[in-house]
Amino acid sequence: MTRNRTTATRAWRNWAGTVTARPARVVSPASVEELTGTIRRAVRDGLRVKAVGTGHSFTAAAATDGVLIRPDLLTGIREIDQAAGTVTVAAGTPLKRLNTALAREGLSLTNMGDIMEQTVAGATSTGTHGTGRDSASIAAQIRALELVTADGSLLRCSAEENPEVFAAARIGLGALGVVTAVTLAVEPVFLLTAREEPMTFDRVAAEFDQHVAENEHFEFYWFPHTGNCNTKRNNRSAGIAAPPGRLSGWIDDELLSNGAFQVACSLGRAVPATIPALAKISSRALSARTYTDIPYKVFTSPRRVRFVEMEYALPREAAIGALREVKAMIERSPLRVSFPVEIRTAPADDIALSTASGRESAYIAVHLYRGTPYRSYFTAVERIMTAHGGRPHWGKIHTRDAAYLSGVYPRFGEFTAVRDRLDPDRLFGNDYLRRVLGD
């Protein structure tokens, strides 16, 4: 009995509301066999194909006017190999479900981003990352993956099997095929102690390298129009779990970080002149706290305030200088910026289109409340980032094209060669991929 669903054509929108697509049809295959049939039918009908996750990308990476594949029925854990330290999971499985399932088995990913609403394939294909001195993005934790290619065949790849595809497909942008399953490295669950502490901008800037060296995971947020930052240091703990109290956790994570912040953002959008004063209040609202819990409860947090975002990866040694340029630019401009600027780090990795490919990196992410005009701010920040050889996050707003990207990714040609071999007719292409990869 087939469970494959083809739904009536309707507009698809991403989480931030920045992208709308009107596919010819929307399909939810329930098996790899149904997916291959869907792809072969699309070829016969002359339609392009794109798979979409939960829509947390701010770009049009998943937009199509052809066949939109939703992975709602391609979910669940296929296998946990305790001896090998791996989990194989269907591509459409939300990270939230994966994290809770691993925790029940006494396992965990080594590192992760700060939200877990995305699907496994969506998060890895766009290079989702957290922060880490030694541990890299979720894609860097992939040990094998399988995808259905343009001819409808199932291709498996790893460091040993089809290694040239593996080097590209871990962050494949949906350009090489539809990912059906991912094998990730896992380890026995551990405890992380999080230490959150306000600091001045000047202190964090001066001590940045020291904080990165001394902590397994370090990040900070600078509040524009102020000299204030909030820092977070996560390190493994041999102690016992000591999660935030129910009331104090609700106050910090829900009332202040979501509820009150939503009100402040709404007021700032309506009356931009209030933003600097609101920023001073917001930057002082969160007090220092320390807590210890299992990894996904420390790395991730709820994000209920909707926003738009741009993020660039820079050589780590360039990050603080670039951030100072962003700060100076905001201070001399009429811009009113309601969202903090986020700074994270990652070690170098070996993935062709990873933003940390071949170089130790730091990330500078800028946000604005959804519905706020963002182009002037993002354009000014992007000008600074590109002057430092910045690489834009594949799932976040940017204006770069293949001509620029081929210059900042030494292995760019390696990726496009794999694409030419696996999808010469651009079945999985769209306007976004044409811009960033060429045609």
Side-chain angles (χ1 to χ4, degrees):
M1 177 180 174
T2 182
R3 295 172 60 205
N4 184 65
R5 300 181 312 204
T6 300
T7 58
T9 301
R10 62 180 185 275
W12 171 84
R13 290 180 178 83
N14 66 344
W15 177 82
T18 55
V19 178
T20 300
R22 290 177 173 79
R25 56 179 178 258
V26 179
V27 183
S28 297
S31 67
V32 173
E33 292 74 23
E34 290 179 4
L35 174 59
T36 60
T38 297
I39 289 174
R40 287 171 177 152
R41 181 185 168 200
V43 171
R44 291 195 303 270
D45 294 344
L47 296 173
R48 293 189 295 182
V49 176
K50 294 304 296 180
V52 65
T54 54
H56 271 77
S57 287
F58 298 88
T59 67
T64 186
D65 57 3
V67 178
L68 188 72
I69 294 176
R70 303 196 68 104
D72 311 61
L73 303 179
L74 293 173
T75 63
I77 291 177
R78 290 190 184 179
E79 180 187 16
I80 293 176
D81 187 332
Q82 294 272 5
T86 60
V87 59
T88 300
V89 60
T93 307
L95 288 172
K96 185 174 186 177
R97 192 183 308 173
L98 172 62
N99 285 329
T100 55
L102 288 175
R104 286 196 300 268
E105 299 294 328
L107 298 169
S108 176
L109 297 173
T110 298
N111 199 358
M112 59 194 79
D114 56 10
I115 65 169
M116 54 180 180
E117 307 306 316
Q118 313 101 307
T119 63
V120 169
T124 56
S125 294
T126 54
T128 295
H129 63 91
T131 189
R133 181 188 61 204
D134 309 305
S135 53
S137 68
I138 302 175
Q141 299 169 66
I142 295 176
R143 295 296 173 263
L145 59 79
E146 66 177 38
L147 66 160
V148 177
T149 58
D151 63 1
S153 62
L154 185 67
L155 185 150
R156 294 182 175 86
C157 61
S158 66
E160 295 76 33
E161 184 179 13
N162 296 307
E164 74 289 348
V165 177
F166 185 64
R170 282 174 287 170
I171 298 180
L173 313 184
L176 307 179
V178 178
V179 176
T180 54
V182 176
T183 299
L184 293 158
V186 293
E187 60 177 302
V189 72
F190 52 94
L191 292 173
L192 281 174
T193 293
R195 181 182 173 191
E196 299 175 5
E197 180 184 4
M199 286 187 190
T200 65
F201 179 95
D202 289 340
R203 179 184 169 189
V204 178
E207 299 177 354
F208 178 68
D209 288 335
Q210 176 186 340
H211 289 308
V212 173
E214 293 178 351
N215 295 281
E216 292 177 77
H217 309 275
F218 174 72
E219 63 185 304
F220 71 96
Y221 298 82
W222 165 61
F223 292 80
H225 311 295
T226 80
N228 303 326
C229 296
N230 198 44
T231 65
K232 186 171 182 179
R233 287 167 274 188
N234 297 333
N235 291 285
R236 295 195 185 211
S237 172
I240 61 173
R246 182 173 296 180
L247 178 59
S248 63
W250 179 82
I251 290 173
D252 282 332
D253 296 327
E254 290 293 349
L255 179 61
L256 295 179
S257 296
N258 285 293
F261 189 52
Q262 173 82 58
V263 172
C265 286
S266 297
L267 177 58
R269 185 176 65 185
V271 189
T274 63
I275 287 176
L278 292 170
K280 289 179 173 63
I281 295 170
S282 297
S283 68
R284 293 171 181 154
L286 295 172
S287 57
R289 64 172 179 167
T290 300
Y291 57 95
T292 301
D293 215 329
I294 61 175
Y296 82 84
K297 294 184 179 181
V298 174
F299 285 130
T300 69
S301 54
R303 291 284 186 270
R304 308 197 200 287
V305 180
R306 301 211 177 196
F307 53 85
V308 292
E309 180 179 0
M310 180 174 72
E311 181 177 52
Y312 266 80
L314 304 180
R316 206 192 83 189
E317 63 273 13
I320 295 301
L323 180 62
R324 290 187 185 278
E325 291 179 52
V326 171
K327 185 172 186 289
M329 178 274 294
I330 293 173
E331 289 171 350
R332 67 174 179 262
S333 78
L335 293 169
R336 295 293 177 261
V337 180
S338 58
F339 255 80
V341 177
E342 181 181 24
I343 294 84
R344 296 178 287 177
T345 67
D349 63 42
D350 63 348
I351 305 171
L353 290 189
S354 168
T355 46
S357 182
R359 74 183 189 192
E360 192 173 354
S361 299
Y363 296 89
I364 297 178
V366 296
H367 315 66
L368 280 178
Y369 185 47
R370 188 175 71 169
T372 304
Y374 64 83
R375 294 193 186 280
S376 295
Y377 177 38
F378 284 14
T379 298
V381 171
E382 189 171 43
R383 190 175 297 119
I384 294 168
M385 298 298 113
T386 55
H388 291 279
R391 299 169 178 169
H393 189 299
W394 296 108
K396 299 178 184 178
I397 292 169
H398 67 94
T399 66
R400 299 299 88 190
D401 61 14
Y404 174 87
L405 295 165
S406 62
V408 295
Y409 282 95
R411 298 173 66 182
F412 189 87
E414 178 184 329
F415 184 94
T416 56
V418 172
R419 185 191 188 203
D420 287 343
R421 177 161 65 86
L422 295 183
D423 187 17
D425 298 323
R426 304 298 188 250
L427 175 69
F428 303 113
N430 63 7
D431 291 343
Y432 176 77
L433 292 183
R434 184 180 300 110
R435 172 164 67 88
V436 300
L437 297 178
D439 207 7

PDB file of all heavy atoms in Angstrom, residues 351-362:
ATOM      1  N   ILE A 351      35.374  19.828   3.923  1.00  0.00           N
ATOM      2  CA  ILE A 351      34.214  19.762   3.037  1.00  0.00           C
ATOM      3  C   ILE A 351      34.330  20.868   1.991  1.00  0.00           C
ATOM      4  O   ILE A 351      34.615  22.026   2.324  1.00  0.00           O
ATOM      5  CB  ILE A 351      32.911  19.919   3.843  1.00  0.00           C
ATOM      6  CG1 ILE A 351      32.856  18.878   4.972  1.00  0.00           C
ATOM      7  CG2 ILE A 351      31.699  19.776   2.937  1.00  0.00           C
ATOM      8  CD1 ILE A 351      31.723  19.093   5.958  1.00  0.00           C
ATOM      9  N   ALA A 352      34.103  20.522   0.729  1.00  0.00           N
ATOM     10  CA  ALA A 352      34.399  21.446  -0.368  1.00  0.00           C
ATOM     11  C   ALA A 352      33.747  22.813  -0.188  1.00  0.00           C
ATOM     12  O   ALA A 352      34.400  23.851  -0.345  1.00  0.00           O
ATOM     13  CB  ALA A 352      33.986  20.826  -1.706  1.00  0.00           C
ATOM     14  N   LEU A 353      32.445  22.858   0.112  1.00  0.00           N
ATOM     15  CA  LEU A 353      31.744  24.132   0.216  1.00  0.00           C
ATOM     16  C   LEU A 353      31.382  24.506   1.651  1.00  0.00           C
ATOM     17  O   LEU A 353      30.482  25.317   1.881  1.00  0.00           O
ATOM     18  CB  LEU A 353      30.477  24.125  -0.650  1.00  0.00           C
ATOM     19  CG  LEU A 353      30.697  24.147  -2.163  1.00  0.00           C
ATOM     20  CD1 LEU A 353      29.372  24.358  -2.885  1.00  0.00           C
ATOM     21  CD2 LEU A 353      31.709  25.204  -2.588  1.00  0.00           C
ATOM     22  N   SER A 354      32.089  23.939   2.618  1.00  0.00           N
ATOM     23  CA  SER A 354      31.888  24.385   3.992  1.00  0.00           C
ATOM     24  C   SER A 354      32.431  25.789   4.152  1.00  0.00           C
ATOM     25  O   SER A 354      33.476  26.143   3.609  1.00  0.00           O
ATOM     26  CB  SER A 354      32.611  23.448   4.962  1.00  0.00           C
ATOM     27  OG  SER A 354      32.657  24.025   6.263  1.00  0.00           O
ATOM     28  N   THR A 355      31.728  26.603   4.931  1.00  0.00           N
ATOM     29  CA  THR A 355      32.218  27.947   5.185  1.00  0.00           C
ATOM     30  C   THR A 355      33.530  27.924   5.969  1.00  0.00           C
ATOM     31  O   THR A 355      34.256  28.924   6.004  1.00  0.00           O
ATOM     32  CB  THR A 355      31.175  28.771   5.947  1.00  0.00           C
ATOM     33  OG1 THR A 355      30.648  27.990   7.027  1.00  0.00           O
ATOM     34  CG2 THR A 355      30.025  29.179   5.033  1.00  0.00           C
ATOM     35  N   ALA A 356      33.850  26.790   6.593  1.00  0.00           N
ATOM     36  CA  ALA A 356      35.125  26.629   7.303  1.00  0.00           C
ATOM     37  C   ALA A 356      36.089  25.737   6.523  1.00  0.00           C
ATOM     38  O   ALA A 356      37.073  25.262   7.084  1.00  0.00           O
ATOM     39  CB  ALA A 356      34.880  26.056   8.695  1.00  0.00           C
ATOM     40  N   SER A 357      35.841  25.520   5.248  1.00  0.00           N
ATOM     41  CA  SER A 357      36.693  24.642   4.446  1.00  0.00           C
ATOM     42  C   SER A 357      38.133  25.146   4.419  1.00  0.00           C
ATOM     43  O   SER A 357      38.413  26.245   3.936  1.00  0.00           O
ATOM     44  CB  SER A 357      36.151  24.561   3.013  1.00  0.00           C
ATOM     45  OG  SER A 357      36.942  23.685   2.234  1.00  0.00           O
ATOM     46  N   GLY A 358      39.030  24.352   4.975  1.00  0.00           N
ATOM     47  CA  GLY A 358      40.451  24.652   4.892  1.00  0.00           C
ATOM     48  C   GLY A 358      40.944  25.799   5.729  1.00  0.00           C
ATOM     49  O   GLY A 358      42.127  26.146   5.669  1.00  0.00           O
ATOM     50  N   ARG A 359      40.090  26.412   6.548  1.00  0.00           N
ATOM     51  CA  ARG A 359      40.577  27.511   7.374  1.00  0.00           C
ATOM     52  C   ARG A 359      39.786  27.616   8.678  1.00  0.00           C
ATOM     53  O   ARG A 359      38.567  27.444   8.703  1.00  0.00           O
ATOM     54  CB  ARG A 359      40.538  28.842   6.617  1.00  0.00           C
ATOM     55  CG  ARG A 359      39.175  29.456   6.412  1.00  0.00           C
ATOM     56  CD  ARG A 359      39.259  30.746   5.584  1.00  0.00           C
ATOM     57  NE  ARG A 359      37.986  31.454   5.560  1.00  0.00           N
ATOM     58  CZ  ARG A 359      37.709  32.466   4.742  1.00  0.00           C
ATOM     59  NH1 ARG A 359      38.623  32.872   3.866  1.00  0.00           N
ATOM     60  NH2 ARG A 359      36.533  33.090   4.793  1.00  0.00           N
ATOM     61  N   GLU A 360      40.513  27.909   9.748  1.00  0.00           N
ATOM     62  CA  GLU A 360      39.870  28.177  11.029  1.00  0.00           C
ATOM     63  C   GLU A 360      39.055  29.451  10.872  1.00  0.00           C
ATOM     64  O   GLU A 360      39.550  30.458  10.351  1.00  0.00           O
ATOM     65  CB  GLU A 360      40.945  28.337  12.107  1.00  0.00           C
ATOM     66  CG  GLU A 360      40.405  28.329  13.510  1.00  0.00           C
ATOM     67  CD  GLU A 360      41.512  28.318  14.554  1.00  0.00           C
ATOM     68  OE1 GLU A 360      42.696  28.207  14.166  1.00  0.00           O
ATOM     69  OE2 GLU A 360      41.178  28.438  15.747  1.00  0.00           O
ATOM     70  N   SER A 361      37.804  29.417  11.330  1.00  0.00           N
ATOM     71  CA  SER A 361      36.872  30.483  10.964  1.00  0.00           C
ATOM     72  C   SER A 361      36.168  31.073  12.176  1.00  0.00           C
ATOM     73  O   SER A 361      36.034  30.433  13.225  1.00  0.00           O
ATOM     74  CB  SER A 361      35.814  29.936   9.987  1.00  0.00           C
ATOM     75  OG  SER A 361      36.429  29.456   8.802  1.00  0.00           O
ATOM     76  N   ALA A 362      35.737  32.300  12.004  1.00  0.00           N
ATOM     77  CA  ALA A 362      34.819  32.938  12.942  1.00  0.00           C
ATOM     78  C   ALA A 362      33.635  33.459  12.144  1.00  0.00           C
ATOM     79  O   ALA A 362      33.781  33.870  10.986  1.00  0.00           O
ATOM     80  CB  ALA A 362      35.493  34.071  13.691  1.00  0.00           C
TER      81      ALA A 362
END
